[in-house]
Amino acid sequence: MDKNHVTRRMLVLGSLALVATGCSSTWRPMERPIASRTRIDPRYRRQEVAYDGGEAPGTIVVDTEQRYLYYVQGGGSAIRYGIGVGEEGRTLKGKATIGRKAEWPSWTPTENMMRRKPHLRQYAGGVTGGLHNPLGASALYLYRGGNDTMFRLHGTNEPWTIGQAVSSGCIRLTNDDIVDLYSRTPVGTTVLII
């Protein structure tokens, strides 16, 4: 199998090695058994829902207050994903475009992240893609005017954080959900963050 191909089996087996967050909230070793921390509130599980927001099919709508991401399907429906959002004041708002996609992306904390959280300086050289990486299985890079905003829609190795405001601004989904969204979303997709 291609080492860059994401499979459900890899995600299930990899869940035993969870240690880092998406967009780096508090990267630290696990303190409790994984089983007690991986439960996700059922309301944040992926599901098809009625949707009448008026956006074109294929648009992604991120509702940071309600902690849901909608992939608009048209015909009055959308796929709704539970998300983790940025800490207070650390979120992108408005329109963006998916400018790039990556499976098992690498991650480097921004200078701003390292100023706020000095313990992240140890990762200044970057973290390669894989189960240990805070961006999880896949990432969709948000651009405006052809420029990278440094905000992402990405997986997380801390699925218990879905529904919370914990990241440095990125929108995190479970690894399973980002793999699903990634497969539906081409580069150029419009994203509306409210």
Side-chain angles (χ1 to χ4, degrees):
M1 172 179 22
D2 177 354
K3 71 176 184 167
N4 291 321
H5 182 74
V6 178
T7 66
R8 289 190 188 277
R9 173 184 272 176
M10 289 170 60
L11 292 174
V12 170
L13 293 174
S15 68
L16 298 175
L18 303 175
V19 295
T21 69
C23 264
S24 178
S25 61
T26 55
W27 197 83
R28 56 177 90 111
M30 289 183 290
E31 300 157 354
R32 297 180 292 177
I34 292 171
S36 68
R37 296 173 52 187
T38 57
R39 289 194 177 89
I40 297 172
D41 187 321
R43 68 185 161 165
Y44 295 119
R45 297 217 181 264
R46 178 180 14 154
Q47 58 186 292
E48 189 168 323
V49 297
Y51 185 82
D52 62 359
E55 292 82 16
T59 301
I60 294 172
V61 178
V62 180
D63 184 336
T64 58
E65 186 175 318
Q66 297 298 315
R67 316 276 164 79
Y68 292 122
L69 180 151
Y70 298 89
Y71 179 81
V72 179
Q73 299 186 106
S77 72
I79 298 172
R80 187 180 76 188
Y81 304 84
I83 57 173
V85 299
E87 297 166 335
E88 183 68 32
R90 300 202 181 281
T91 228
L92 184 67
K93 296 286 186 176
K95 284 192 177 181
T97 302
I98 302 298
R100 184 166 86 85
K101 296 170 55 168
E103 293 180 4
W104 297 111
S106 61
W107 171 75
T108 303
T110 65
E111 194 57 43
N112 190 32
M113 283 179 191
M114 291 186 285
R115 267 193 304 277
R116 283 191 340 271
K117 299 176 182 180
H119 71 278
L120 295 177
R121 290 222 179 268
Q122 65 186 313
Y123 307 108
V127 178
T128 59
L131 296 172
H132 59 286
N133 187 297
L135 295 185
S138 299
L140 302 170
Y141 295 71
L142 300 179
Y143 279 61
R144 280 190 177 155
N147 297 312
D148 188 351
T149 65
M150 303 307 288
F151 288 91
R152 319 281 184 244
L153 307 177
H154 64 78
T156 181
N157 293 330
E158 292 185 345
W160 54 89
T161 63
I162 298 302
Q164 300 176 36
V166 294
S167 78
S168 289
C170 291
I171 303 300
R172 59 174 67 173
L173 296 85
T174 64
N175 278 331
D176 213 24
D177 283 352
I178 192 62
V179 168
D180 182 77
L181 183 63
Y182 184 98
S183 72
R184 299 172 189 278
T185 307
V187 168
T189 295
T190 298
V191 179
L192 175 60
I193 305 164
I194 56 174

